[in-house]
Amino acid sequence: MKFPRELLALDIRVLRLVAGALSAVILLVGWGQILRPAWQSRQAVLTQTAGIREAIASLPDQQAQADALATEATRLETTLDAADTAPARLPGVLDNLARSQGVELLPVFPGQQNESDGLVETRYDLDASGSYPQLVGWLAAIESRLPNAGLQEIRFTRQVSSGSVNLRLRLAVYRRPATRQP
C-alpha cells in the first residue's frame, strides 16, 4: 500500500494532468483503432450513395442520348445504300455536280475495290480543271451530296499560262457488299 500513499502525496494538479493525459491517450487509441475506420467506412458509403443517385438521375439523359445515336446510326446506315453512289451511277452524278459548278471533269472510271469490316471501298482517281472557287464548290457539293464518300487525296496545280487550276482527286466511296444469290 505504499504506492497509493505516494500518489496521495502528489499535488492534485499533477494527478489531474496525469488523468487528463491518460484519458487523451485512451481516446486517441480508441479513435485510431475503432472510430476512425468506422467513420471512413461511413464516408465511403455516403460517397458511393451520392454517385449512385447521380447515375440514376442521369439515366433519362443517357437514354435520350442513346436514342439519338441510334437514330443517327440508322440514318448513316441508309447512306451506305444510297443509289447515287452505285458504281454505275456515280460517274454521272460527279459529272452533273461538276457541270453545275463550271468544272471540267475528265471521264470517271471505278478503280481499286477493297472489302473489309463489312464494307466495300471503291476508289476513283479523278482529274478536273477550273478556277479555284469552282473546284472548291465542286468538292463541297461532292461532300454534301455523297455522304458515304471520302476525299482521300487532293492536289491542286495552278496553270500559269491559262490561269486555271488542275485538280487531282482520289475519292473513296463506301458501300455495303452486294448480296449474293445462291
Side-chain angles (χ1 to χ4, degrees):
M1 289 288 211
K2 208 175 187 186
F3 180 71
R5 279 190 188 155
E6 289 177 359
L7 283 177
L8 292 175
L10 289 175
D11 186 16
I12 193 73
R13 291 179 289 181
V14 172
L15 288 175
R16 285 183 189 158
L17 184 63
V18 168
L22 186 61
S23 298
V25 167
I26 290 171
L27 286 174
L28 286 174
V29 168
W31 168 256
Q33 297 296 319
I34 298 167
L35 295 176
R36 190 169 116 210
W39 181 76
Q40 287 175 336
S41 295
R42 180 181 182 276
Q43 290 299 104
V45 167
L46 289 176
T47 303
Q48 188 177 23
T49 302
I52 290 171
R53 285 187 180 146
E54 286 179 22
I56 289 172
S58 69
L59 283 177
D61 293 338
Q62 290 177 355
Q63 184 62 43
Q65 206 173 25
D67 292 343
L69 289 173
T71 303
E72 179 71 8
T74 303
R75 186 188 67 76
L76 290 174
E77 282 289 323
T78 60
T79 63
L80 292 174
D81 296 324
D84 283 347
T85 59
R89 292 194 61 198
L90 186 67
V93 171
L94 289 172
D95 190 50
N96 288 340
L97 291 173
R99 270 193 259 129
S100 71
Q101 295 294 325
V103 172
E104 183 182 326
L105 178 66
L106 294 178
V108 177
F109 300 101
Q112 177 184 2
Q113 283 193 356
N114 297 320
E115 185 172 343
S116 67
D117 297 330
L119 292 176
V120 174
E121 174 192 61
T122 306
R123 291 185 183 169
Y124 296 85
D125 288 322
L126 308 172
D127 290 308
S129 63
S131 69
Y132 183 77
Q134 290 171 331
L135 292 170
V136 170
W138 179 59
L139 293 174
I142 290 173
E143 284 189 330
S144 66
R145 176 82 183 266
L146 306 172
N148 60 326
L151 306 175
Q152 289 190 329
E153 185 179 330
I154 301 172
R155 284 195 194 137
F156 290 98
T157 308
R158 184 168 174 245
Q159 300 299 321
V160 179
S161 60
S162 65
S164 68
V165 177
N166 289 341
L167 170 70
R168 179 94 174 136
L169 170 68
R170 176 166 290 155
L171 181 73
V173 178
Y174 301 93
R175 295 186 45 81
R176 286 195 183 119
T179 55
R180 295 185 179 128
Q181 303 278 333

